[in-house]
Amino acid sequence: MEPELPEPEPLTTLIESLRCLPGVGLRSARRMAYHLLQHDLRGAEQLSHALATAVAGLRHCSRCNGFSEDDICVTCANPKRDPTLLCVVETPADQNMIESSHGYRGLYYVLMGRLAPLEGVGPQALQFDRLLERAADGVVREVILATNFTAEGETTAHYLAELLRSRGLAVSRLARGVPAGSELEYVDAGTIAWALMERRGA
Amino acid sequence: MEPELPEPEPLTTLIESLRCLPGVGLRSARRMAYHLLQHDLRGAEQLSHALATAVAGLRHCSRCNGFSEDDICVTCANPKRDPTLLCVVETPADQNMIESSHGYRGLYYVLMGRLAPLEGVGPQALQFDRLLERAADGVVREVILATNFTAEGETTAHYLAELLRSRGLAVSRLARGVPAGSELEYVDAGTIAWALMERRGA
């Protein structure tokens, strides 16, 4: 006797569709589908609606490349922002973090990724030409590179620094050093080395 | 200056909605949302549609309690199935595994869970009365308990065994023992102990 998969078509399709989420394989997708259908029908409906709304209503801000409902996002459209400063981040989540520090009043450019040659993500995929065009608007005077301090983020920063500097822009990078509130004994040696090298007058 | 969250409304809603998935917290939800919007708009649309279709089109089979598009699912409606055997499983995924073994030709009952007193999941939440009614249809002669061999699955099996036996039904449990193809040296001691206890004539 042929085995009968007890999964009706809509369930199979849902499980397959859930696998488009990053880090979700067949088993996780199945677990998620069962959970939604058994315990959270309302959540499933809301998610369905939120996905459709986001796909239909969101685009990239034509100035900063972040997600936006309008052609130009709220941050870029804010006249109180300092248009001479441009901070380059990898993702909107990084932009969130910088905003929450209350320490920045300039504008942003969101790369939506970082150089990762091993994954085939090069300058073209990240549309570096758009960033160069944005930075060369004649108003921006300094570009602050705030990519992550990982190997890929550092590579991206180095690469962008050369491109931007060759166009006559001032380029800076977030400071490296001992994190606020930390005890030296528990800071890793690499960080201490950086903090020594980049020490400043007290 | 007030920090400006660069997340427009549809994005915030999408991130919040993704958190209804089991095991997905704020950071994962944000990563998923960025991924879908940046790299897989088609996947997001498909997922939205699959969720809506599944929520609208799926219900519980009135006989086996599994997911079904119709009142009675394909397996329960199949006349070639042996209606005197009823196999009780925790989830449709378990039913899948049993079907794929090609070793069973009876019917199923899907609990959609297991007894877990610590999580507040008792006999009522699992609607054991529905199973008892199903098993007492006068046709079922043997109930095979195929809940997991975890603490909770075993508890569920013990509990159900008593209930069903008291109603005059034959009750069996999947055999415990050494897995097919395994070398004794690498099998855990608990399994060996069970296999010894339940040894059979060769």
Side-chain angles (χ1 to χ4, degrees):
Chain A
M1 176 178 276
E2 269 299 286
E4 285 176 309
L5 288 185
E7 284 171 352
E9 221 283 303
L11 182 56
T12 322
T13 310
L14 175 56
I15 292 171
E16 204 40 61
S17 301
L18 281 164
R19 296 187 58 186
C20 74
L21 297 172
V24 174
L26 181 57
R27 267 165 218 263
S28 303
R30 190 170 271 145
R31 198 161 46 87
M32 287 174 169
Y34 293 159
H35 172 82
L36 289 176
L37 292 170
Q38 187 66 24
H39 300 293
D40 198 1
L41 280 176
R42 238 185 77 104
E45 272 171 352
Q46 281 173 350
L47 178 54
S48 167
H49 187 251
L51 283 163
T53 310
V55 167
L58 288 181
R59 46 176 149 170
H60 290 285
C61 169
S62 64
R63 299 198 80 204
C64 76
N65 198 37
F67 293 117
S68 169
E69 285 184 274
D70 305 306
D71 180 48
I72 293 186
C73 75
V74 182
T75 311
C76 287
N78 185 341
K80 289 187 193 158
R81 290 271 174 176
D82 179 353
T84 66
L85 288 175
L86 189 69
C87 179
V88 177
V89 292
E90 292 183 19
T91 66
D94 300 332
Q95 185 182 350
N96 271 341
M97 284 311 295
I98 294 181
E99 279 297 298
S100 70
S101 77
H102 296 262
Y104 183 66
R105 56 196 178 81
L107 296 171
Y108 290 93
Y109 188 88
V110 187
L111 291 173
M112 293 291 178
R114 69 279 180 277
L115 287 181
L118 295 178
E119 296 165 27
V121 179
Q124 228 130 40
L126 294 174
Q127 298 180 290
F128 278 1
D129 43 338
R130 273 191 67 194
L131 165 57
L132 292 178
E133 204 181 305
R134 169 70 186 88
D137 68 348
V139 182
V140 171
R141 275 186 295 129
E142 179 181 347
V143 178
I144 302 168
L145 298 172
T147 54
N148 287 323
F149 285 81
T150 57
E152 286 153 342
E154 294 274 30
T155 309
T156 309
H158 280 296
Y159 190 96
L160 284 177
E162 276 190 35
L163 278 183
L164 291 161
R165 229 175 253 126
S166 74
R167 272 162 180 77
L169 288 155
V171 183
S172 58
R173 180 96 169 99
L174 285 190
R176 262 174 281 238
V178 181
S182 55
E183 296 179 67
L184 291 189
E185 186 178 350
Y186 301 105
V187 173
D188 70 294
T191 299
I192 299 274
W194 272 115
L196 277 169
M197 227 180 322
E198 305 197 349
R199 67 190 180 279
R200 37 174 286 177
Chain B
M1 178 178 273
E2 268 299 286
E4 286 177 308
L5 288 186
E7 283 170 353
E9 219 285 302
L11 182 56
T12 321
T13 310
L14 174 56
I15 292 172
E16 202 42 58
S17 301
L18 281 164
R19 296 187 58 184
C20 74
L21 298 171
V24 174
L26 181 57
R27 266 163 218 264
S28 303
R30 189 170 271 147
R31 198 162 46 88
M32 287 174 168
Y34 294 160
H35 172 84
L36 289 176
L37 292 171
Q38 185 67 22
H39 300 294
D40 199 0
L41 281 176
R42 239 186 76 103
E45 270 169 354
Q46 282 173 349
L47 178 53
S48 167
H49 187 250
L51 283 162
T53 310
V55 168
L58 287 181
R59 46 177 151 172
H60 290 285
C61 169
S62 65
R63 299 199 79 204
C64 75
N65 196 37
F67 293 118
S68 170
E69 284 183 275
D70 305 305
D71 181 47
I72 293 184
C73 74
V74 182
T75 311
C76 287
N78 186 342
K80 290 186 190 157
R81 290 271 174 174
D82 180 351
T84 66
L85 288 174
L86 188 68
C87 179
V88 177
V89 292
E90 292 183 21
T91 68
D94 299 333
Q95 185 182 351
N96 270 342
M97 284 310 296
I98 294 180
E99 279 297 298
S100 69
S101 76
H102 297 260
Y104 183 67
R105 58 201 174 75
L107 296 173
Y108 291 92
Y109 188 88
V110 187
L111 292 174
M112 294 288 178
R114 68 277 180 279
L115 286 182
L118 294 178
E119 296 165 27
V121 179
Q124 227 131 39
L126 293 174
Q127 299 180 288
F128 277 1
D129 43 337
R130 275 192 65 194
L131 165 57
L132 291 179
E133 203 182 306
R134 169 71 186 88
D137 68 347
V139 181
V140 171
R141 274 187 295 127
E142 177 181 349
V143 178
I144 303 167
L145 298 172
T147 53
N148 287 320
F149 285 81
T150 57
E152 285 153 344
E154 294 275 29
T155 310
T156 310
H158 280 296
Y159 190 96
L160 284 177
E162 275 190 36
L163 276 183
L164 292 160
R165 228 176 253 123
S166 72
R167 274 160 180 77
L169 287 154
V171 182
S172 58
R173 179 95 170 101
L174 285 191
R176 262 176 280 237
V178 181
S182 55
E183 297 178 68
L184 291 189
E185 187 179 348
Y186 301 106
V187 173
D188 71 295
T191 300
I192 300 273
W194 272 114
L196 277 169
M197 227 178 321
E198 306 197 349
R199 67 191 179 279
R200 37 175 288 178

